[in-house]
Amino acid sequence: MPNREDVLQDIDQNFDVAVGKLLELISIPSISSEPAGEAAIAKAAAWLKAELDTMGLAAKVVPTKGHPVVLARSARTSGPKRPCLLFYGHYDVQPVGDQTQWKHAPFEPRIVEEHGVHRFYGRGASDSKSQLWTFIEALRAWRAIYGDFPADIIVLLEGEEECGSPSLPDFIKAHRQELECDVAFICDAEMWSQTQPAITTQLKGLVHEKVTISAPNQDLHSGHYGAVAANPIRILSSILAGLHDDKGRVTIEGFYDGVKDLPNKVREQWHELANEPSLLGEVDLTGGVTEEGYSPLEAMWGRPTVDINGITGGNQGPGERSVLPGSATARLSFRLVEGQQPEEIRRRFRRHVDARLPEGCSVVFDGIQGSSAVVLRQESPFLTATARGLEEEWGTPTVLRGTGGAIPLVEQFSNGLGAECVVVGFILPGDAIHAPDERYDTERLKKGARSWVGILEQVQLDMAI
Amino acid sequence: MPNREDVLQDIDQNFDVAVGKLLELISIPSISSEPAGEAAIAKAAAWLKAELDTMGLAAKVVPTKGHPVVLARSARTSGPKRPCLLFYGHYDVQPVGDQTQWKHAPFEPRIVEEHGVHRFYGRGASDSKSQLWTFIEALRAWRAIYGDFPADIIVLLEGEEECGSPSLPDFIKAHRQELECDVAFICDAEMWSQTQPAITTQLKGLVHEKVTISAPNQDLHSGHYGAVAANPIRILSSILAGLHDDKGRVTIEGFYDGVKDLPNKVREQWHELANEPSLLGEVDLTGGVTEEGYSPLEAMWGRPTVDINGITGGNQGPGERSVLPGSATARLSFRLVEGQQPEEIRRRFRRHVDARLPEGCSVVFDGIQGSSAVVLRQESPFLTATARGLEEEWGTPTVLRGTGGAIPLVEQFSNGLGAECVVVGFILPGDAIHAPDERYDTERLKKGARSWVGILEQVQLDMAI
């Protein structure tokens, strides 16, 4: 009778194959928020379907209004009804941004040895292709050794996570029965440190807004009219600069309506974590502004914020141009906590801008689907089983943490369907996700896959009771 | 004995040829501030040299550290020493900017009839290829009719005006003797209205600055670190928003040091002009901020200002990207009046930014050569002769006006060499210079060339006395 050790051994022995396949997946530039990424999205989806088919799951590429979902499930067994576990990952990636800032080509990953660590660089290396690969590899090995999966399995791989999951609500509505499960494991989150695993129990909501301010005139000669005509960059700068007061609080009227202060229990848990030197990795907070009255960790995980993600207007170079531009654009994102409604925040922001718009100027807003914050039940038996499984692999206690990030599917499943969700992952602060030279390492990939074996066993043991 | 009328008739009769050649010149994309423009700059210089040679001037293309100067002069005559007139224009153009904002291709000019006006569109159509073409065509016709020029003639066509004339000081130093003249006619300025000519007697100085603010980190995931880490866009917005107080005054310490209030005489002259509905053409000032205590015209021509010409940072689209960018850049230009020193203003601005930079953040400044303001003598006999010449063609009094624009050569000649300068031109506010769909019309081109015939005659008459 095979056992867990055999599965782990299978992962170790076939690790070079798993790494090779993952690098192949990372080399597909499946950027979901740019039209140019469309062909690569389709290619990545087809590639994943083929992989899932090979390992004994019946997979299909399900078209949506946007990018397709790869949906796979294990064959129905003839015996008694088994519990059903859903695994979620996303195969789309962020845009590359300014490619000149990358030292490594974003879509040509290979293993490089750096101070004894075997790293690979690439967009999606950490967020989130390695992540989804950990559970796929664990499921493959489990079935290879046991001849079957430990439960009914659903794998759901999304292609729109990095652009706000606009097609997800319709997809879930249309496939509600197919998605029925006892627990959804969401693998798109961070570890606590290089050596300590974590489960994320609290996620922020997210609203993106693009705002373009236009003056009554098109571009003008700034020498002639700069002293008198409206300058959209100046107006936009002033509005952006006024979004926070001198205590770091957001000035939008009603922004904090419905926001409750952090429960004492959570505050205490986080207080202990806040002393960890690994919390921020190599990120330097010097020069940043944290809302008065909150620790950085509380602000990151528990307080709503607004960030300016991009700004563009007038002359972009390379040379000088004496221009008073006709318009200027900023891109912002709001990170929401429990009690805030995405569309309400969007409305309040737009009202805030409208009220500050000089006469004669105009504004155009553009926004994509928002999501609410999620707070998961720390007492869920699936969560405690997962914590035990992680501890077996890592040899350290599992941290229950929050995050400033958002995963729209968790909101849809947890808030929308009332489904049990467990959010796990192996990202670290030093992975440079959403940034140039995004990276991951083979050690973490292997331990990630091994972690899922532990989790599967713990969940199976629980289920059997 | 031929007379002025014959010259004017020659211009009228050969006008189709002149227009054809000008459109050919405009079709050369001689953008001086972008490396990609280099070949076109060389092509335009060679093209102009050939044209000047053809019309009896000995022309040469003079290399500089930057873009070449086209320098031409009439043959020395054997008779008594004649007065020497220098004509200045520039053949370089502004960048195109966002090409999608152009309805007409920027470098494929052709005549289009619009409401009875024969227009041509293109970058440089107004600023400044039509301008230099007016005096070249007048000189050609004069010589064709009279067999000689009315005086010794120097033509100086610059290729770096739109990027701050960085090579001009060295060029002038090296060719000082060749440039000796009794008067320099600078043809790169505005008319007063569609029907009324103007001489510009007051020009602003100009300082360009590019400022890049960087946080201690490279790009970060804004969901994870937005609440706590420094955001260069937010810092930059705040600095830009703080450059003016609520009275529209620039807040940089010492910015107004040395600035004298406008003389009453000038204020009165301008006060009369301020009622002209044509002052702003189709430019709408709604939403603009004029410095308190000054009329728009006083602010445009007589008060120092700072304009934001461009801003860039973080995600530039097309899709959303949850990024906290590592840096953000703004481009600014300062328009100076008498009493302000370009390098001193630059220093004060940099000190202003440094003082507002959060700990841990860094700033890089980049600037190109600045120029001081120029106030020309309204009593100059060359100026009054020019005014009379213009009046003959247009049938209305010549306005003495100011401008918010800068022409570095005027500063070099007037402040530097103490040379007599007369600044004339036929640009109108509706020409969209420095903007998409820059334009000009054939009627103005013809009247511009004819104006120079009148000016040449008036100057000749004055000289003969």
Side-chain angles (χ1 to χ4, degrees), chain A residues 33-35 94-95 97 101 123 190 208 216-231 233-234 237-238 240-241 244 280 282-290 296 299-300 305 307-323 325 331 333 335 358-360 368 403-405 429 433-436, chain B residues 33-35 94-95 97 101 123 190 208 216-231 233-234 237-238 240-241 244 280 282-290 296 299-300 305 307-323 325 331 333 335 358-360 368 403-405 429 433-436:
Chain A
S33 64
E34 294 180 353
Q94 284 271 315
Q101 286 189 40
R123 174 60 82 225
E190 290 188 298
H208 278 291
N217 310 290
Q218 276 210 317
D219 289 6
L220 296 172
H221 185 300
S222 63
H224 293 171
Y225 306 106
V228 288
N231 183 341
I233 303 179
R234 187 165 151 190
S237 294
S238 168
L240 296 178
H244 295 87
L280 294 164
E282 290 156 16
V283 175
D284 183 349
L285 300 194
T286 319
V289 181
T290 302
M300 288 167 72
T305 57
D307 301 305
I308 313 166
N309 302 123
I311 191 164
T312 319
N315 182 23
Q316 304 295 297
E320 297 309 330
R321 193 156 75 92
S322 291
V323 66
R331 290 161 188 276
S333 53
R335 298 285 171 170
E359 197 191 338
I368 51 174
T403 178
I433 66 171
H434 295 208
Chain B
S33 64
E34 294 180 353
Q94 284 272 316
Q101 286 189 39
R123 175 58 84 225
E190 289 189 300
H208 278 291
N217 311 290
Q218 277 209 318
D219 289 6
L220 295 172
H221 185 300
S222 63
H224 293 172
Y225 305 107
V228 290
N231 182 341
I233 303 179
R234 186 165 150 189
S237 294
S238 169
L240 296 178
H244 294 87
L280 294 164
E282 289 157 15
V283 175
D284 183 348
L285 299 193
T286 319
V289 182
T290 302
M300 286 168 72
T305 57
D307 301 305
I308 313 163
N309 302 123
I311 192 164
T312 319
N315 182 24
Q316 304 295 297
E320 298 308 330
R321 193 155 76 91
S322 292
V323 66
R331 292 160 188 275
S333 53
R335 299 283 170 171
E359 197 191 341
I368 51 174
T403 178
I433 67 173
H434 294 209

Side-chain angles (χ1 to χ4, degrees), chain A residues 349-411:
Chain A
F349 168 68
R350 293 184 176 186
R351 215 177 296 149
H352 180 93
V353 174
D354 282 334
R356 280 148 188 84
L357 200 66
E359 197 191 338
C361 297
S362 58
V363 61
V364 173
F365 297 100
D366 194 10
I368 51 174
Q369 159 110 18
S371 65
S372 306
V374 179
V375 178
L376 297 168
R377 230 171 25 108
Q378 297 195 0
E379 300 73 23
S380 148
F382 287 108
L383 191 146
T384 51
T386 303
R388 288 196 308 274
L390 287 165
E391 283 163 22
E392 271 184 23
E393 176 61 27
W394 296 88
T396 51
T398 298
V399 170
L400 301 188
R401 58 168 294 161
T403 178
I407 308 172
L409 176 118
V410 179
E411 187 214 0

Side-chain angles (χ1 to χ4, degrees), chain A residues 8-224:
Chain A
L8 296 177
Q9 207 174 356
D10 186 89
I11 288 177
D12 293 352
Q13 278 169 358
N14 294 292
F15 190 60
D16 51 349
V17 178
V19 169
K21 284 187 178 175
L22 172 59
L23 296 191
E24 202 180 316
L25 177 60
I26 295 170
S27 74
I28 305 173
S30 48
I31 299 165
S32 55
S33 64
E34 294 180 353
E38 201 148 335
I41 283 276
K43 188 177 167 188
W47 189 96
L48 284 161
K49 175 199 166 347
E51 279 303 314
L52 293 167
D53 278 338
T54 309
M55 56 183 270
L57 292 164
K60 56 184 175 180
V61 175
V62 185
T64 71
K65 268 188 204 162
H67 299 312
V69 172
V70 180
L71 187 60
R73 67 179 311 140
S74 55
R76 314 257 172 206
T77 45
S78 52
K81 191 172 182 301
R82 301 201 296 181
C84 181
L85 318 180
L86 184 146
F87 291 84
Y88 165 88
H90 66 88
Y91 66 88
D92 65 322
V93 300
Q94 284 271 315
V96 167
D98 179 1
Q99 191 147 352
T100 65
Q101 286 189 40
W102 289 69
K103 288 200 195 76
H104 302 262
F107 298 111
E108 296 166 23
R110 56 189 182 82
I111 308 297
V112 289
E113 201 250 282
E114 290 175 352
H115 313 291
V117 180
H118 291 220
R119 287 222 172 84
F120 46 97
Y121 289 84
R123 174 60 82 225
S126 173
D127 181 14
S128 200
K129 287 174 174 171
S130 290
Q131 304 264 67
L132 65 87
W133 205 242
T134 58
F135 63 74
I136 288 179
E137 176 59 7
L139 290 169
R140 181 206 60 75
W142 187 286
R143 182 165 174 276
I145 296 303
Y146 285 105
D148 189 12
F149 298 109
D152 285 350
I153 300 292
I154 301 172
V155 172
L156 192 175
L157 305 176
E158 194 195 353
E160 291 189 334
E161 200 277 340
E162 297 294 3
C163 59
S165 302
S167 312
L168 196 63
D170 280 351
F171 172 82
I172 291 175
K173 207 177 287 174
H175 299 80
R176 198 164 166 161
Q177 283 198 311
E178 276 183 86
L179 298 175
E180 255 175 31
C181 60
D182 294 281
V183 62
F185 290 106
I186 319 291
C187 187
D188 186 27
E190 290 188 298
M191 293 186 64
W192 178 244
S193 74
Q194 194 83 39
T195 54
Q196 192 162 14
I199 298 173
T200 300
T201 62
Q202 184 155 341
L203 297 97
K204 280 186 176 171
L206 175 58
V207 170
H208 278 291
E209 275 282 282
K210 184 172 129 188
V211 48
T212 299
I213 289 176
S214 297
N217 310 290
Q218 276 210 317
D219 289 6
L220 296 172
H221 185 300
S222 63
H224 293 171

Side-chain angles (χ1 to χ4, degrees), chain B residues 344-390:
Chain B
E344 179 61 21
I345 293 296
R346 195 192 300 284
R347 262 193 303 279
R348 288 183 182 277
F349 168 68
R350 292 183 177 188
R351 215 177 297 149
H352 181 94
V353 174
D354 281 335
R356 280 151 187 82
L357 200 66
E359 197 191 341
C361 296
S362 58
V363 61
V364 174
F365 297 101
D366 194 10
I368 51 174
Q369 160 111 16
S371 65
S372 305
V374 178
V375 178
L376 298 168
R377 232 171 22 108
Q378 296 196 1
E379 301 74 22
S380 150
F382 287 109
L383 191 146
T384 51
T386 303
R388 288 197 308 273
L390 287 166

